[in-house]
Each structure stands twice: as structure tokens, then as C-alpha cells.
Amino acid sequence: MDDYPLLNLFWTMLWFFLWIMWLFLLFKVIVDIFRSDDLGGWAKAGWLILALVLPYLGVLVYVIARGKSMGKRDAKEAKEREAAFKAYVREAAAGDTAGAAKSGGSIDELAKLADLKERGALTEEEYQRAKTKLLV
């Protein structure tokens, strides 16, 4: 270890992290190739071969040629995931609300209690006591 200076260790780590970042970019490009709806089968095969046979050049050319649409596809997918999550939450809340309506509407009561607490009509202790009664 005495013959490996600290600066060499720094450069080795820098190149290692740059290599890892490039691998992440390569995988992102490959995933984007398969996810892209506007490319046909032969175009996908061509981009994939270019990215795998000449990886540095292939990834660089892909990012230059299709980087903007790559970002748009990422944003679209994120919006779709968020919409699906919100729909799931609404669905789950609707199921809970239906169950709460059967048990006397405890969700509505909790909302009323929280509103009273926010307006200062209830203290924290009173709010906790009333909440405990509703939930038991």
C-alpha cells in the first residue's frame, strides 16, 4: 500500500464511479429502446446492436439523437404511475369510507374533530380523547 499514492487512489475511484455512471446510462438507454413506442422492431434491433457492439459510441449517439424523446417518455411514465397511485388511493379510500359509513361514519367524525382542533375549539387532549373514543 506504500507504493500506491493517495492521488492514484483518487483517480482510480473517480474512473470507477464514472464507469458505474456509464453503466447506469447504458441500462437506461437499453430500457428506453424497448419502451419506445415510436420505434419499429428493426429500429429497436439496430439501436440495440449499436449500443451493445459499440457501447460508448452507441450510447452517445442514442442520447444525442433521442435524448429529448427519452425525457418525454420518462415524464409520461411518471405521470401514469402517479395517476395509477392516485386512483388506487381513491379506490382504497372509497372502500374505507363505505366501511366507515356502516360503522357510524367515523371518518367524517374524525374530519370534524380535526377541523374543530384546527379552529381552536378543542385542545390537543380533548381531541385525542374524542379520537380514541371514535376509533375504539
Side-chain angles (χ1 to χ4, degrees), residues 97-129:
T97 305
K102 293 177 187 173
S103 66
S106 61
I107 291 178
D108 292 332
E109 294 296 322
L110 281 173
K112 289 176 187 175
L113 283 173
D115 186 44
L116 287 172
K117 181 184 159 216
E118 284 178 18
R119 286 190 281 163
L122 290 176
T123 65
E124 179 66 32
E125 183 181 310
E126 292 169 333
Y127 171 74
Q128 291 299 332
R129 229 178 308 136

Side-chain angles (χ1 to χ4, degrees), residues 3 5-6 9 23 45 47-48 50 59 62 64 67 70 75 118 129 134 136:
D3 59 339
L6 186 61
L9 179 66
L23 277 177
W47 278 114
L48 189 61
L50 182 65
V59 168
Y62 187 86
I64 289 171
M70 193 171 158
E118 284 178 18
R129 229 178 308 136
L134 276 175
V136 173

Side-chain angles (χ1 to χ4, degrees), residues 1 4-20:
M1 188 73 177
Y4 199 69
L6 186 61
L7 187 60
N8 285 353
L9 179 66
F10 171 75
W11 280 112
T12 302
M13 290 185 69
L14 177 71
W15 283 111
F16 177 73
F17 286 120
L18 287 174
W19 182 71
I20 295 294

Side-chain angles (χ1 to χ4, degrees), residues 5-130:
L6 186 61
L7 187 60
N8 285 353
L9 179 66
F10 171 75
W11 280 112
T12 302
M13 290 185 69
L14 177 71
W15 283 111
F16 177 73
F17 286 120
L18 287 174
W19 182 71
I20 295 294
M21 286 177 16
W22 178 83
L23 277 177
F24 274 105
L25 183 61
L26 175 67
F27 291 132
K28 183 155 181 66
V29 163
I30 291 173
V31 167
D32 190 67
I33 289 171
F34 286 108
R35 182 178 61 177
S36 179
D37 291 332
D38 60 336
L39 287 177
W42 287 107
K44 287 182 183 184
W47 278 114
L48 189 61
I49 289 170
L50 182 65
L52 294 177
V53 172
L54 300 170
Y56 293 108
L57 182 65
V59 168
L60 180 66
V61 170
Y62 187 86
V63 170
I64 289 171
R66 299 183 47 85
K68 195 172 193 176
S69 62
M70 193 171 158
K72 288 178 183 177
R73 278 188 293 281
D74 282 343
K76 179 183 171 193
E77 184 179 329
K79 285 180 184 176
E80 289 172 356
R81 260 188 272 131
E82 184 179 357
F85 175 73
K86 286 182 179 180
Y88 172 75
V89 168
R90 269 189 241 107
E91 190 177 297
D96 288 346
T97 305
K102 293 177 187 173
S103 66
S106 61
I107 291 178
D108 292 332
E109 294 296 322
L110 281 173
K112 289 176 187 175
L113 283 173
D115 186 44
L116 287 172
K117 181 184 159 216
E118 284 178 18
R119 286 190 281 163
L122 290 176
T123 65
E124 179 66 32
E125 183 181 310
E126 292 169 333
Y127 171 74
Q128 291 299 332
R129 229 178 308 136

